[in-house]
Amino acid sequence: QDSLANWKLKISANVRECEERNRLLREEKASILQHFQALKAKMNKFRDTEGRFLAELTQKSRDCGKSLESQLFLAEKILKLAELNRKMETEREKVLPFHPIPTSDADCTIPEEFAKEANALQSYAR
């Protein structure tokens, strides 16, 4: 009889101990799950942010490439027109922009019409 009561006490103590251990394990599991969910949400938010930054960077890169292509096209067009213009210039137009313009009236040896044209070309070149 005492032995049976002793075994019943041991079994009930063992059941309480196991229930307590199971409760602690469930609480730990819930805590770890909550921590995991928080980390996963943070990681997904970071991933979304970086994805948006990457998309924006890609778009800006594409726009920059298009802009550079249009500028290159314009520069090539300007160079071609400059070559054509150079072929059509007269000797006077080729030399006149490089003719020094005197600073005083006493040194003035250039005819008035050439001086005006030279000044106009010089101001245009600036």
Side-chain angles (χ1 to χ4, degrees):
Q1 192 77 328
D2 284 337
S3 171
L4 187 60
N6 192 17
W7 279 109
K8 285 183 182 180
L9 280 175
K10 283 186 178 182
I11 290 173
S12 66
N14 195 10
V15 166
R16 273 180 285 160
E17 185 181 312
C18 288
E19 286 175 354
E20 180 66 20
R21 194 177 318 138
N22 287 344
R23 185 186 62 78
L24 290 174
L25 287 173
R26 277 191 293 274
E27 288 175 3
E28 185 179 359
K29 178 185 172 187
S31 173
I32 289 172
L33 183 63
Q34 184 179 5
H35 183 66
F36 169 74
Q37 299 282 342
L39 287 176
K40 187 174 180 180
K42 187 176 178 181
M43 186 176 67
N44 286 335
K45 183 179 176 184
F46 177 76
R47 188 179 296 144
D48 291 342
T49 304
E50 291 299 311
R52 275 187 260 115
F53 285 148
L54 181 61
E56 183 181 347
L57 179 66
T58 304
Q59 184 62 40
K60 286 183 178 182
S61 173
R62 190 176 298 123
D63 293 344
C64 184
K66 288 178 182 177
S67 173
L68 287 174
E69 284 178 10
S70 67
Q71 289 177 1
L72 179 64
F73 175 75
L74 184 62
E76 288 173 350
K77 188 175 179 181
I78 289 172
L79 288 175
K80 287 177 186 176
L81 289 174
E83 286 177 24
L84 288 173
N85 187 36
R86 189 73 177 156
K87 290 177 186 176
M88 294 180 188
E89 283 180 341
T90 62
E91 283 301 315
R92 188 180 87 195
E93 290 171 332
K94 289 180 183 179
V95 174
L96 190 61
F98 301 106
H99 194 282
I101 297 174
T103 55
S104 68
D105 291 336
D107 295 339
C108 188
T109 57
I110 304 173
E112 185 64 31
E113 66 181 73
F114 292 149
K116 286 181 182 178
E117 192 175 346
N119 283 333
L121 288 172
Q122 203 170 33
S123 67
Y124 178 73
R126 288 182 194 153

